[in-house]
Amino acid sequence: MKSKSTVILLFIFFLLTSKNLSPQSAKTIEQRVDSVLALMTQEEKIGQLVQFTGDWDTGTHSTEPKAGKRELVSEGKIGSFLNIFGADMTRGLQKIAVEKSRLKIPLIFGLDVIHGFRTTFPVPIAEASSWEPALVEKSARMQAIEVSASGINWTFNPMVDIARDPRWGRIVEGSGEDPVLGAAMAVARVKGYQGNDLSANNTIAACLKHFAGYGGAEGGRDYNTVDFSERTFREVYLKPFKAAVDAGAATLMASFNEIGGVPSSANHQLLTKILRDEWKFDGFVVSDWNSIGELIPHGVARDLKQAAELALNAGLDMDMESNAYTKHLSELLAEGKVSGKTLDESVRRILRIKFRLGLFDDPFKYCDAEREKKTILSKEMKDAAHEVATKAIVLLKNENGFLPLNKETKKIAVIGPLANSTADPLGPWNQQGDAKDVVSVLQGIKNKCGDKAKILYEEGCSIAGKETDGFGKAIQAAKEADVVVLVVGESLDMSGEARARATLDLPGVQEELAKEIYKTGKPIVAVLMNGRPLTINWLNEHAAAILETWFLGIRTGDAIADVLFGDVNPSGKLPVTFPKYVGQVPMYYNHKNTGRPYDPKNNYTSYYADYDNSPLYPFGYGLSYTKFVYDDLKLSSKKISKTESLKISIEVKNNGSYDGEEVVQLYIRDLVGSVTRPVKELKSFQKIFLKKDETKKVEFTLTDEDLKFYNLDMNFVSEPGMFKVFVGTNSVECLEDEFELIN
Ligand code: NOJ
């Protein structure tokens, strides 16, 4: 028999969850959250903090829950699943949650949709190479539309970790080395996933990860120790997180790493003081996979019970796969080591997001098998993937305008281990990508040329093997052809999680193959497919042209052929520095000057004695088939006060023979500060389109906000003094001027 008070509470709950109460107003959501919370038992509260995977990690890649999990859902002991999708599968589980569990609280289904679900878009670092936030937002929007049709309402993306070390395999998942570009991409993705209305049936909650500092792993080795100053942490690594929190990101994921001795999953300073108290974030934080359990090997918890205590008290709301909260929270509450208030706060944050997603109003809105059938891999999806892929390509070299290839070229040899690959273009962290949907480079070229050109194909060698038996046939094909398109790089599983590399060379014998082909005298167009900057000095010297294509997804071949034959003029720019040698890393453009900056005339300065200090390709670098000329840099004033803004303009002329897009980049340098400042800092950028012979005036505005940094006392301020302004086509080739900030 239900007690009288329970009946009253259930009645209030019914009222507050009913649709007639303008369900999405913030006030109503808070009232509804409280009404649900008031009804929950301690066990049910703990249940909301628990997330389990589907049967995916056993190697079956099934989307089924593991044995016994359905029963736990009906008992209200699971709040979320990951790696379970499909309209019917999620509907079945949601039905158990909302029909069998006592309080009918819907489940939230999370998945790593990093660059697409079934329709694979370019990997994130490739999308960032577009320097086009609106395009990246569109990509995320499409991904949300597709995956939400398959029952998913939460993606573990965007990954907004700044990465200054290309040895780190996860550099592929982010937007590179710069905090301003990274913030722009982070915000674009959050907007794309979440749309204007998180409660719509085709928008999904974003999850900023990995909070925080994960990209700073020592030596670029995944999961490794991170230790940097609070200033660098806040100015560089936290900046994209803060921007995306301000843009309304619903959730964050705590990272695996420690910073200065404190693993993120136990970091109260990070998860509560910075995130909640300073930034006013009111969504929830999920752990990374077993990251609560990993507090034991980190050496801050003696057992799983203490790990649970540290994590919840730090502000970590949901436990992904550690089993720490399920097993130990009741006991910790009984012992007073975790307070009921802390538990309630975490539950409240999770319920809030479930309400914002509209799950209490319609728990099945993502589970529509009809929509799923129509949406997945639709023409609209594939076209969008194609468009984004063309914009992600970066032209690294183009000797004497060798590209675009003449469409009348008679014989083309397409050579290399990645030339006909349909699996690798999907890249790491592709979700349900299927090689049979992928257009390879070879196929893309064949489609483009039809029967106008003879296309010869040879693999030449494997990606990482040592065998050279294939060289003979590849050399023969090169000899017969007018031009060689050489497709080399990394396999899809050489970057991504746990894929650090100690070298950045082309793996295996690929460079040897390139050298043999070069001996034929035939011009080489190198097409790179890879998840990180590579040290390709030889190719840079000898190839006629080089395209950085990263991993472009299902329309790889079409996008590359568009660029090779000039239907698309490449406009991508590198979001990360390419070093010449692995020994130069970490190498990033926004470094400090040091007390002894490199001076070739002075031995005792900061440089490598065996090689040089310059990168192979600097941050922001990328060519076009046309030529852009910069002129007439103007500042609205030579002096501004802190309340004034500075207008900066520059004229960009398309002086070449093609229409094209250019990313105009604005950097500053604060010449003297109470603490040292980087030699250059990107502050703004604009992508413009110029017809052949057209000139455009590009205008930027800098405000006091752009000049701020963390001073000696860790206050975020600007300081009066001289600043340099640089505007140009990359972080090195710029026009420059100066201005003074006065009080
Ligand atoms: C571990 C990864 O670090 C994280 O990025 C991912 O979201 C989770 N596993 C879930 O798959």
Side-chain angles (χ1 to χ4, degrees):
M1 271 267 297
K2 287 191 177 82
S3 74
K4 202 172 153 200
S5 62
T6 311
V7 172
I8 294 169
L9 280 171
L10 279 172
F11 179 64
I12 297 171
F13 175 56
F14 166 76
L15 280 182
L16 292 169
T17 53
S18 98
K19 284 184 191 158
N20 305 325
L21 290 177
S22 149
Q24 289 311 320
S25 85
K27 188 161 169 239
T28 315
I29 285 184
E30 291 311 300
Q31 288 170 345
R32 295 172 87 188
V33 167
D34 284 341
S35 77
V36 178
L37 197 61
L39 298 175
M40 294 172 83
T41 62
Q42 181 175 301
E43 231 182 15
E44 286 163 339
K45 289 178 184 174
I46 295 171
Q48 283 306 303
L49 314 191
V50 172
Q51 183 186 56
F52 285 117
T53 183
D55 208 2
W56 161 94
D57 56 334
T58 50
T60 58
H61 285 249
S62 141
T63 75
E64 279 273 335
K66 291 183 180 174
K69 295 293 185 281
R70 284 192 170 85
E71 292 66 33
L72 292 181
V73 173
S74 66
E75 291 161 19
K77 290 182 177 161
I78 294 184
S80 172
F81 280 108
L82 77 152
N83 298 327
I84 288 184
F85 52 84
D88 291 339
M89 177 59 68
T90 51
R91 176 178 287 273
L93 285 164
Q94 197 67 292
K95 247 171 122 47
I96 301 177
V98 302
E99 287 175 8
K100 300 231 170 96
S101 78
R102 191 180 74 94
L103 289 179
K104 312 184 183 330
I105 300 175
L107 295 160
I108 176 168
F109 291 94
L111 192 71
D112 288 285
V113 182
I114 308 299
H115 52 113
F117 177 53
R118 174 72 187 267
T119 308
T120 307
F121 285 73
V123 289
I125 198 162
E127 290 196 345
S129 304
S130 72
W131 289 57
E132 210 176 313
L135 180 86
V136 173
E137 180 178 335
K138 176 176 171 182
S139 167
R141 188 83 279 282
M142 298 305 279
Q143 297 170 36
I145 291 170
E146 189 178 63
V147 78
S148 64
S150 198
I152 292 298
N153 35 44
W154 181 25
T155 174
F156 304 126
N157 209 40
M159 189 281 221
V160 306
D161 293 312
I162 296 295
R164 293 170 153 185
D165 191 330
R167 291 172 297 182
W168 191 48
R170 302 197 80 170
I171 196 169
V172 67
E173 287 173 60
S175 298
E177 74 191 32
D178 184 75
V180 167
L181 181 64
M185 294 299 156
V187 169
R189 291 192 168 111
V190 168
K191 283 194 197 159
Y193 289 130
Q194 299 192 171
N196 297 326
D197 175 9
L198 193 54
S199 71
N201 70 356
N202 62 9
T203 55
I204 58 178
C207 180
L208 309 175
K209 68 186 192 184
H210 305 81
F211 198 55
Y214 186 37
E218 281 177 5
R221 220 178 61 227
D222 209 3
Y223 317 120
N224 204 7
T225 307
V226 174
D227 205 343
F228 30 52
S229 71
E230 188 183 351
R231 182 169 296 104
T232 302
F233 186 40
R234 283 182 181 264
E235 288 179 3
V236 178
Y237 291 87
L238 287 186
K239 195 167 177 127
F241 285 99
K242 170 72 167 65
V245 163
D246 289 346
T251 73
L252 280 87
M253 181 184 289
S255 57
F256 285 126
N257 58 285
E258 68 156 87
I259 299 183
V262 188
S264 297
S265 295
N267 194 333
H268 185 263
Q269 169 78 14
L270 185 65
L271 302 184
T272 297
K273 287 241 168 77
I274 295 180
L275 184 61
R276 268 78 185 227
D277 299 351
E278 267 184 49
W279 296 359
K280 311 292 175 216
F281 173 71
D282 70 358
F284 72 88
V285 178
V286 63
S287 76
D288 203 338
W289 185 286
N290 190 38
S291 68
I292 302 180
E294 288 171 20
L295 295 176
I296 305 167
H298 267 298
V300 295
R302 68 187 156 267
D303 52 26
L304 195 61
K305 181 174 165 191
Q306 195 189 10
E309 176 189 341
L310 288 172
L312 197 76
N313 283 335
L316 210 172
D317 307 303
M318 188 180 277
D319 175 358
M320 180 195 287
E321 277 292 319
S322 292
N323 260 303
Y325 289 177
T326 311
K327 286 191 180 148
H328 298 293
L329 277 188
S330 301
E331 220 182 317
L332 289 164
L333 282 153
E335 291 166 11
K337 290 189 171 143
V338 160
S339 74
K341 193 163 163 265
T342 305
L343 174 67
D344 281 3
E345 200 39 49
S346 284
V347 178
R348 189 174 273 117
R349 293 169 184 147
I350 291 166
L351 293 179
R352 189 178 284 140
I353 297 304
K354 290 187 175 181
F355 271 109
R356 285 188 189 156
L357 279 163
L359 284 169
F360 280 89
D361 301 309
D362 180 1
F364 300 112
K365 67 178 158 191
Y366 302 92
C367 318
D368 175 347
E370 257 318 291
R371 178 156 76 99
E372 184 176 40
K373 228 183 284 155
K374 270 196 259 153
T375 316
I376 289 183
L377 216 59
S378 67
K379 177 165 182 324
E380 207 190 350
M381 290 290 156
K382 291 197 267 190
D383 289 350
H386 184 178
E387 181 196 356
V388 179
T390 57
K391 300 281 194 115
I393 296 172
V394 188
L395 178 64
L396 297 178
K397 181 178 180 189
N398 197 20
E399 203 167 64
N400 304 322
F402 188 80
L403 287 180
L405 293 176
N406 188 329
K407 285 192 177 143
E408 306 305 312
T409 309
K410 292 277 172 299
K411 271 194 188 170
I412 303 171
V414 183
I415 295 175
L418 287 149
N420 197 26
S421 170
T422 48
D424 297 294
L426 291 169
W429 279 115
N430 72 78
Q431 187 38 253
Q432 295 303 300
D434 188 334
K436 72 176 189 303
D437 305 329
V438 174
V439 181
S440 71
V441 180
L442 177 64
Q443 193 56 48
I445 292 176
K446 282 187 175 165
N447 294 347
K448 183 68 79 183
C449 296
D451 46 20
K452 276 194 263 139
K454 180 153 189 217
I455 312 294
L456 307 166
Y457 163 66
E458 286 300 333
E459 191 179 12
C461 61
S462 64
I463 295 171
K466 294 277 170 256
E467 312 74 37
T468 54
D469 336 344
F471 280 21
K473 282 189 180 163
I475 293 164
Q476 193 49 41
K479 281 184 179 157
E480 282 174 39
D482 305 310
V483 58
V484 176
V485 175
L486 184 67
V487 193
V488 289
E490 299 180 310
S491 61
L492 84 166
D493 55 2
M494 284 179 176
S495 56
E497 189 177 346
R499 290 292 179 272
R501 286 185 62 197
T503 74
L504 298 174
D505 297 335
L506 279 175
V509 292
Q510 295 183 83
E511 190 168 302
E512 281 175 47
L513 173 68
K515 286 176 178 164
E516 291 305 316
I517 295 207
Y518 181 73
K519 287 185 195 155
T520 66
K522 296 299 166 71
I524 296 176
V525 174
V527 172
L528 298 172
M529 214 182 273
N530 46 299
R532 54 160 63 76
L534 296 175
T535 47
I536 46 152
N537 301 295
W538 188 89
L539 277 180
N540 182 53
E541 267 178 45
H542 298 91
I546 305 176
L547 292 178
E548 174 54 80
T549 74
W550 310 107
F551 295 108
L552 292 177
I554 57 166
R555 301 297 295 272
T556 288
D558 295 320
I560 292 174
D562 284 345
V563 168
L564 285 175
F565 292 94
D567 291 331
V568 169
N569 186 352
S571 59
K573 301 272 186 176
L574 294 177
V576 63
T577 303
F578 271 48
K580 287 180 178 153
Y581 313 100
V582 69
Q584 292 175 311
V585 303
M587 185 176 220
Y588 45 92
Y589 84 97
N590 47 356
H591 59 83
K592 301 295 185 69
N593 202 37
T594 81
R596 292 188 176 195
Y598 175 51
D599 173 0
K601 292 191 277 323
N602 189 347
N603 189 29
Y604 293 98
T605 56
S606 182
Y607 76 110
Y608 293 104
D610 49 354
Y611 289 110
D612 66 286
N613 273 25
S614 59
L616 182 59
Y617 308 115
F619 173 79
Y621 173 83
L623 305 171
S624 165
Y625 292 156
T626 197
K627 190 169 168 44
F628 297 107
V629 178
Y630 285 69
D631 197 13
D632 206 19
L633 174 63
K634 278 204 188 104
L635 309 190
S636 59
S637 171
K638 284 292 201 182
K639 262 189 192 149
I640 57 161
S641 72
K642 292 192 177 187
T643 54
E644 288 171 328
S645 56
L646 180 71
K647 293 241 179 296
I648 296 153
S649 69
I650 193 149
E651 288 205 338
V652 186
K653 175 158 202 228
N654 181 346
N655 236 357
S657 329
Y658 300 85
D659 298 347
E661 287 182 297
E662 166 73 333
V663 180
V664 184
Q665 303 163 37
L666 180 138
Y667 300 84
I668 65 158
R669 176 170 178 184
D670 186 343
L671 289 175
V672 181
S674 58
V675 294
T676 62
R677 304 303 306 146
V679 294
K680 256 177 205 161
E681 293 176 85
L682 180 74
K683 287 294 164 183
S684 192
F685 56 91
Q686 287 181 38
K687 194 164 190 177
I688 55 166
F689 172 77
L690 288 182
K691 289 193 98 48
K692 184 161 123 30
D693 295 326
E694 191 183 348
T695 301
K696 258 188 198 158
K697 185 167 165 183
V698 180
E699 285 186 320
F700 296 95
T701 305
L702 282 182
T703 67
D704 189 46
E705 214 42 42
D706 297 305
L707 310 179
K708 288 184 176 169
F709 59 90
Y710 286 90
N711 70 2
L712 272 180
D713 305 320
M714 287 307 291
N715 293 320
F716 193 57
V717 295
S718 63
E719 291 179 350
M722 294 305 296
F723 287 79
K724 276 197 174 204
V725 181
F726 311 84
V727 184
T729 184
N730 59 53
S731 60
V732 171
E733 294 169 81
C734 295
L735 298 183
E736 56 180 89
D737 203 343
E738 285 187 346
F739 71 94
E740 186 179 358
L741 177 71
I742 53 175
N743 257 323

